Amino acid sequence: RERSVDALLVSYAREPSPAFEAEVARLPMPVVWLNRKTSSNTLCVDERGAARMLTEHLLELGHRHLAFLDYSSGSIKEPLIAERLSGMRDAADHAGAFI
């Protein structure tokens, strides 16, 4: 109790297990899930838009050959990673740059 927190923001690289979700649900504090579109207590980031804006910024600085590297899961089929890559491609295609 001495080291408790007032609220919890849950972020994860892989889908949490049902056991973990059950434990979190039992916590006596507010819980907000990050990028959990199925939860009512969630904060979702516009991954595609954020990646597009970042890429546009790099392109405005004069960079034309960009690389995408995501270390979290190793699969571009992961929904959040796919959104990030799509955002980068949107901006690069619009500017005639390469990813």
Side-chain angles (χ1 to χ4, degrees):
R1 291 190 163 207
E2 293 173 15
R3 296 180 184 166
S4 68
V5 296
D6 297 322
L8 181 65
L9 175 63
V10 182
S11 176
Y12 51 91
R14 293 193 174 102
E15 194 67 24
S17 70
F20 179 77
E21 290 183 55
E23 286 297 317
V24 169
R26 284 192 275 278
L27 293 172
M29 68 186 69
V31 175
V32 177
W33 291 88
L34 182 60
N35 288 329
R36 178 87 180 199
K37 294 180 181 175
T38 59
S39 174
S40 60
N41 297 327
T42 189
L43 172 67
C44 293
V45 175
D46 177 5
E47 300 287 345
R48 187 176 190 152
R52 186 189 71 248
M53 289 172 56
L54 171 62
T55 304
E56 288 170 347
H57 175 71
L58 293 171
L59 293 168
E60 288 170 5
L61 293 173
H63 303 288
R64 289 291 178 258
H65 295 88
L66 307 175
F68 178 83
L69 173 64
D70 188 280
Y71 186 68
S72 62
S73 75
S75 172
I76 62 171
K77 294 180 182 180
E78 193 80 28
L80 295 178
I81 296 168
E83 285 295 304
R84 293 172 190 154
L85 184 55
S86 292
M88 287 187 74
R89 285 184 175 148
D90 290 347
D93 290 347
H94 181 74
F98 301 97
I99 293 184

